[in-house]
């Protein structure tokens, strides 16, 4: 089993920055597992926004956050981070990290995140005000 825990959510003004963390615990062979960040607002679809393969370090982003958000991992590969810069009101959401064998694939002019992530954290709230 794998447990994921997000932290770092807060209330900030538009234009500000936050860094979210996703720490894992549990006896799982990370291998080249994918860790992704999703976000969701009540009544809306969940949106994949960033992902990283733990082994090779390849990263992927949605068009909505590309150029503003950066996903990374620590050298010990225990924590995955999401650095969020130039935040907009539209970034307000509950942010979740998830882990699974596959990040997704390029589709059209963007990136389509996989739908079968096995492990999920409980989320951390990000609120952006103007």
């Amino acid at each position: 089993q794998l447990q994921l825990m997000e932290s770092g959510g807060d209330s900030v003004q538009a234009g500000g920055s936050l860094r979210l963390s996703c720490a894992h615990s549990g006896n799982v062979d990370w291998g080249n597992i994918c860790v992704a960040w999703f976000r969701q607002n009540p009544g809306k679809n969940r949106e994949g926004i960033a992902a990283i393969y733990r082994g090779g370090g390849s990263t992927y982003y949605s068009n909505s956050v590309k150029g503003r958000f950066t996903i990374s991992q620590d050298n010990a590969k225990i924590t995955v981070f999401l650095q969020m810069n130039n935040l907009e009101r539209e970034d307000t959401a509950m942010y979740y990290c998830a882990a699974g064998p596959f990040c997704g694939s390029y589709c059209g002019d963007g990136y389509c995140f996989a739908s079968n992530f096995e492990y999920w954290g409980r989320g951390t709230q990000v609120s952006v005000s103007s």
Side-chain angles (χ1 to χ4, degrees):
Q1 276 290 352
L2 178 66
Q3 291 81 42
L4 303 173
M5 181 175 291
E6 305 92 339
S7 61
D10 205 343
S11 297
V12 297
Q13 289 195 327
S17 298
L18 282 175
R19 189 174 83 157
L20 306 184
S21 299
C22 174
H24 81 82
S25 61
N27 187 21
V28 171
D29 180 8
W30 273 110
N32 200 32
I33 199 168
C34 174
V35 175
W37 285 96
F38 289 79
R39 64 186 183 186
Q40 187 172 24
N41 280 308
K44 294 191 176 181
N45 292 334
R46 186 173 57 200
E47 176 191 15
I49 57 173
I52 185 169
Y53 278 111
R54 299 308 303 274
S58 297
T59 59
Y60 309 92
Y61 298 94
S62 68
N63 289 339
S64 60
V65 306
K66 191 181 298 182
R68 299 188 298 124
F69 292 10
T70 303
I71 189 170
S72 63
Q73 59 186 353
D74 64 348
N75 290 334
K77 297 182 179 179
I78 296 175
T79 305
V80 170
F81 304 102
L82 184 68
Q83 178 66 43
M84 306 188 295
N85 297 329
N86 194 20
L87 283 161
E88 303 168 351
R89 286 188 62 184
E90 293 71 25
D91 295 318
T92 294
M94 184 70 79
Y95 283 69
Y96 300 89
C97 68
F102 181 58
C103 284
S105 61
Y106 287 105
C107 57
D109 64 350
Y111 192 82
C112 293
F113 292 81
S115 60
N116 61 343
F117 283 89
E118 301 173 53
Y119 304 101
W120 291 84
R122 294 187 175 184
T124 186
Q125 179 69 39
V126 171
S127 299
V128 184
S129 59
S130 57

